[in-house]
Amino acid sequence: MITRFAPSPTGPLHLGHAYSAIIAHDMARAAQGTFLLRIDDLDQSRARPEWEAQIFDDLHWLGLEWPTPVRRESEHHGEYHAALDRLWNMGLLYPCTCTRRDIREALSAPQEGLPDAPRTGPDGLVYPGTCRTVPTGPRPEHATLRLNMGEACSRVQADTLQFEETGSDHAGRICLSTASMIHGIGDVVLARKDMGAAYHLAVVVDDAAQGVTHVTRGADLFEATRIHVLLQSLLALPKPIYHHHKLIRDEAGKRLAKRDDARAIATYREEGLSPDDIRRMVGL
Ligand code: GLU
Ligand code: ZN
């Protein structure tokens, strides 16, 4: 068994991250497997070495161990570009120049055959398809590229669009409906002009490259997993087992955010709490 925790070095780890990391770590340890730490630093405009150092420090303090060197996404663009080329050559990507505002405006204009209100998916508003074209020529670099969801769904065997979930809320085999992916997710962004590969692409390439067998992460990513399973089918990558865990909330029931410094592990450490206190606070 190989599990992983893949934080972005864009702020302090808080209780929710600690919970996620401990779950992945303990699951691997119980199976005498390996727990990996991966640094999701694709967004170089927000990633900081200080935050990365703090992540290592906090996780060590919590008693977690992982093999080194850790994988940093920013060091693997070649692999992401190869996957993008493959999808591009399959005719499944197209460049998009829409701003967020363009998308809002396109969605507010009456659309023939689409009487329903704008929908939101895992990445926000479902893209109206303004720029959708059949791509020709080489893949443009430094362009925002979207996945043609309808076309992509038609290229995979329906029975590959499923995954095994072991999280308590939805445990079992989850079968994906292509209709709901086209309507409820739509043409997601897989490459960004400024960042290169987008999260959805990088995460499936990384999990496959590292041989991750069990992906443990928050329930907020449950819907996004449908995108990842589709990409795994398109790119002929193995499918890990997924475990989406509950989210840690504050006393008001609100999800913890990165900027929620009050619940940063570092703050609790300064206040003299122990790793066992942290485990108790998140119910482990
Ligand atoms: N960096 C991502 C996050 O923190 C990783 C998500 C994942 O585990 O796939 O949300
Ligand atoms: Zn567009």
Side-chain angles (χ1 to χ4, degrees), residues 94-99 103 127 129-132 146:
Y94 62 87
C96 170
T97 52
C98 297
T99 61
I103 294 174
Y127 182 64
T130 322
C131 296
R132 192 182 299 132
R146 288 184 181 273

Side-chain angles (χ1 to χ4, degrees), residues 94-202:
Y94 62 87
C96 170
T97 52
C98 297
T99 61
R100 223 167 275 182
R101 182 160 163 209
D102 294 336
I103 294 174
R104 270 199 313 270
E105 283 178 2
L107 288 169
S108 63
Q111 291 176 66
E112 218 176 320
L114 281 180
D116 35 347
R119 292 173 299 267
T120 42
D123 287 350
L125 284 174
V126 174
Y127 182 64
T130 322
C131 296
R132 192 182 299 132
T133 46
V134 178
T136 51
R139 177 173 68 85
E141 275 183 60
H142 309 296
T144 291
L145 299 177
R146 288 184 181 273
L147 178 71
N148 182 333
M149 184 60 81
E151 190 58 31
C153 285
S154 76
R155 298 290 183 89
V156 295
Q157 300 286 331
D159 63 359
T160 67
L161 290 182
Q162 40 175 292
F163 66 97
E164 196 180 327
E165 167 68 37
T166 62
S168 50
D169 283 356
H170 320 262
R173 184 148 285 277
I174 311 287
C175 295
L176 311 185
S177 127
T178 55
S180 74
M181 290 173 68
I182 294 166
H183 279 266
I185 299 177
D187 294 359
V188 286
V189 169
L190 294 189
R192 286 183 201 286
K193 202 166 60 191
D194 43 343
M195 269 167 53
Y199 160 71
H200 298 305
L201 183 89

Side-chain angles (χ1 to χ4, degrees), residues 18-32:
Y19 179 66
S20 201
I22 293 171
I23 285 187
H25 177 268
D26 288 3
M27 191 188 264
R29 195 179 48 188
Q32 283 164 2

